[in-house]
Amino acid sequence: MPFRRIGLIGIVLATLVLVAVFARWGTRWTVPQALAATAGYTLRTSWTGADARGGPLQGPIGIAVAPSGDVYVTDAVLRVVQFSPDGRVRREWGHEGQGRGEFSNPVGIAVGPNGTVYVSDYEQDRIQTFSPTGEFLMEFGTSGSGPGQFRSPAGLAVDRDGSIYVADFYNHRVQKLTANGAFVQAIGRAGRLGLGALHYPTGVALTREREILVADAYNYQVQWFDASGDAIRQVGYHLFWLWPRPLSSTAGFAVPTDAGASPNGVIHVADSANHRVVMLSARGAYVADWRIPDANPDIYSPEHVAISPDGSTVYATDLAANRVLVLNVRMPDDGR
């Protein structure tokens, strides 16, 4: 009988030690708090694209803002819809198919400094480029895991030099390519633990410091890489890899599917499973958030975010409600 009691006590003590160890490990990835009481978001309006020739938006996913201020959106109608800064539909292009200007599942979209529009096709493993008004220019990419190949390319970004960054979803990496689609380097590695480990990345962006910002969706975190592709920072939280903490201000994320950087350095994150947009400082400290008031709990949304050239507006695709949310941004005093 005493031996049984000792054994039971040993099991209890071992369990407590394991809980303490894992709790301590998890808290390394909490999001620090920034002092920015005046910062936040307010909903200005939403766009449904009701005046689009092919009908209103259905399942919008990708979104990008051009230097002109025009907003480009991909949706489940298998097209790109171009909006003016005040929400009027300028034009749309694309339809189902595998030819030039045709799509199977357009997900990511980005606009280069010269106005060129880049669209990733999640099903066709290719990227197509278009003029600002939708004329097909070129395409690149094939299916696979080699350099310049993709397995479901998702989010896109283009830097000031025209280099292209692709969140290569099933290859668990980001690829950097030249403006013509030639492979430059792979960024990140497949994994669940440690700096640089990516697990189904869905979004990528560039910061004002030319750092590479990755929405590492199913590691429940956002990661920063320097211009050379070396991992330098991560924020977020998960325990046992399978249990993301519900996001309060400083606890972490639940499937962050995209992130973008404002001109002043502030970061905006689409925290899709928590149905909100989160503002972080340039160093990754929590600043503020805004939750979709009528969110569908069964659909991850918002999916992607884009920021106006002056940083005063965040656009977020609300996949569940078939709309683009337009948020006014109240910036913190600085982006540090």
Side-chain angles (χ1 to χ4, degrees):
M1 193 69 161
F3 292 105
R4 290 184 181 176
R5 186 174 303 155
I6 292 171
L8 180 60
I9 292 172
I11 291 171
V12 171
L13 289 174
T15 301
L16 291 174
V17 168
L18 286 173
V19 168
V21 167
F22 279 109
R24 183 175 178 81
W25 165 73
T27 57
R28 288 187 300 159
W29 290 355
T30 56
V31 182
Q33 182 83 41
L35 298 176
T38 60
Y41 303 97
T42 55
L43 179 64
R44 183 195 312 165
T45 187
S46 61
W47 302 342
T48 64
D51 52 337
R53 184 183 68 256
L57 293 173
Q58 295 292 322
I61 296 182
I63 191 163
V65 179
S68 66
D70 278 2
V71 179
Y72 295 82
V73 179
T74 61
D75 78 347
V77 183
L78 309 183
R79 63 183 172 176
V80 174
V81 181
Q82 181 182 354
F83 292 88
S84 66
D86 61 0
R88 293 178 294 106
V89 174
R90 291 198 190 277
R91 61 183 57 86
E92 61 184 278
W93 69 85
H95 56 268
E96 186 173 8
Q98 298 185 352
R100 294 181 170 186
E102 298 176 334
F103 306 109
S104 292
N105 189 1
V107 170
I109 190 166
V111 182
N114 63 353
T116 299
V117 180
Y118 301 78
V119 182
S120 66
D121 197 306
Y122 190 85
E123 302 292 340
Q124 295 181 11
D125 294 327
R126 66 170 176 169
I127 293 167
Q128 298 186 70
T129 70
F130 302 88
S131 74
T133 54
E135 289 78 24
F136 174 86
L137 299 177
M138 63 175 292
E139 65 177 273
F140 52 87
T142 58
S143 299
S145 300
Q149 295 182 316
F150 307 115
R151 292 178 63 210
S152 297
L156 300 174
V158 183
D159 67 18
R160 68 188 71 169
D161 300 323
S163 296
I164 306 159
Y165 299 80
V166 184
D168 193 2
F169 186 74
Y170 282 108
N171 281 325
H172 306 292
R173 64 186 178 184
V174 169
Q175 291 197 68
K176 180 180 180 180
L177 311 169
T178 68
N180 294 321
F183 175 81
V184 176
Q185 69 177 128
I187 297 164
R189 57 182 171 80
R192 305 304 304 273
L193 182 63
L195 270 174
L198 300 176
H199 193 60
Y200 302 111
T202 51
V204 61
L206 286 307
T207 73
R208 66 179 180 182
E209 289 83 14
R210 299 181 73 112
E211 294 171 344
I212 304 156
L213 186 66
V214 180
D216 189 10
Y218 291 93
N219 271 335
Y220 313 110
Q221 63 186 1
V222 176
Q223 293 205 55
W224 283 253
F225 297 79
D226 65 22
S228 299
D230 296 322
I232 55 176
R233 191 181 315 120
Q234 62 189 161
V235 295
Y237 189 104
H238 63 77
L239 185 60
F240 298 126
W241 300 298
L242 300 175
W243 176 32
R245 279 278 298 274
L247 182 59
S248 61
S249 63
T250 59
F253 303 106
V255 193
T257 44
D258 198 24
S262 288
N264 76 337
V266 169
I267 306 299
H268 305 279
V269 181
D271 187 22
S272 65
N274 281 316
H275 311 295
R276 69 183 195 161
V277 177
V278 180
M279 186 187 302
L280 303 177
S281 74
R283 298 287 299 175
Y286 170 90
V287 177
D289 61 56
W290 179 87
R291 190 179 298 272
I292 298 174
D294 54 346
N296 183 332
D298 298 322
I299 301 177
Y300 289 173
S301 191
E303 277 289 318
H304 285 252
V305 292
I307 299 107
S308 63
D310 64 0
S312 67
T313 304
V314 167
Y315 304 93
T317 50
D318 187 356
L319 175 73
N322 302 314
R323 63 189 176 182
V324 172
L325 300 164
V326 183
L327 303 174
N328 291 329
V329 179
R330 300 189 308 277
M331 291 289 190
D333 293 335
D334 58 60
R336 294 175 294 180

